Amino acid sequence: PFEKKTKRWHQLLPQTLGDTYEVFLPSMPNSENAKYMEWKIWFEKYVAFLRDGAVLVGHSQGGYFLVKYLIENKLPITIRALYLVSAPFEPDDFGGEDGGDFAFDTAKVPVLEENIPHIVIFHSKDDFVVPVAHALKYKEKMPKAKLQLFEDRVHFWQEEFTELILDIKSLVSE
């Protein structure tokens, strides 16, 4: 009970990226019993604040949500990059969960490459929540996407995520 809890990388994105970046960290509703429609309504409240060239990062269920949303909906802005971190691909069992109503038509995943110029899939081979097979399925459907596999990041619960930060910052120099 006296152990100091460390923040995770996504909570530190505003500080890590710096003042040059405008970062929104929506806290999605009911994350323990997530419902796609609730998340969609909540996400769309943030869409109004996004600008052309936005960068989207989805971790785990958040990545699963973004893929479904971007396949099924047309945003009023252009997306510069999409980062999927330990994102489930299909409703197969992952970590004792079944993905609820977040499942999407996996045949439509290639549409993401048509609309988003920079897609990166981060996954760890030792992820026991979402097996690495999910990342390999994304890569199969999106051959132009960059797949970066790690040996020991589990489900990316760490405080720092240097590879993600460097990749986002590299977009500025392009």
Side-chain angles (χ1 to χ4, degrees), residues 17-129:
L17 285 169
D19 294 337
T20 311
Y21 297 84
E22 188 174 25
V23 179
F24 297 104
L25 297 172
S27 188
M28 301 309 266
N30 205 7
S31 61
E32 296 301 317
N33 187 22
K35 304 286 184 232
Y36 176 77
M37 195 51 68
E38 292 173 2
W39 280 36
K40 181 180 178 192
I41 291 166
W42 196 253
F43 179 71
E44 287 177 343
K45 292 177 188 244
Y46 286 88
V47 168
F49 297 100
L50 299 178
R51 294 186 219 140
D52 279 335
V55 173
L56 301 177
V57 180
H59 175 241
S60 195
Q61 187 93 7
Y64 201 34
F65 166 79
L66 283 176
V67 171
K68 178 177 175 107
Y69 186 88
L70 294 171
I71 286 172
E72 296 179 355
N73 300 277
K74 176 79 173 128
L75 286 175
I77 58 157
T78 59
I79 302 300
R80 175 105 183 253
L82 172 65
Y83 294 91
L84 301 175
V85 182
S86 289
F89 180 79
E90 54 196 356
D92 290 349
D93 179 56
F94 50 91
E97 300 178 26
D98 69 1
D101 60 352
F102 283 62
F104 48 81
D105 182 353
T106 58
K108 294 183 179 180
V109 169
V111 167
L112 296 176
E113 279 192 327
E114 295 171 17
N115 299 320
I116 303 170
H118 188 77
I119 300 173
V120 181
I121 305 158
F122 289 109
H123 216 100
S124 187
K125 293 177 182 177
D126 64 347
D127 190 336
F128 60 86
V129 179

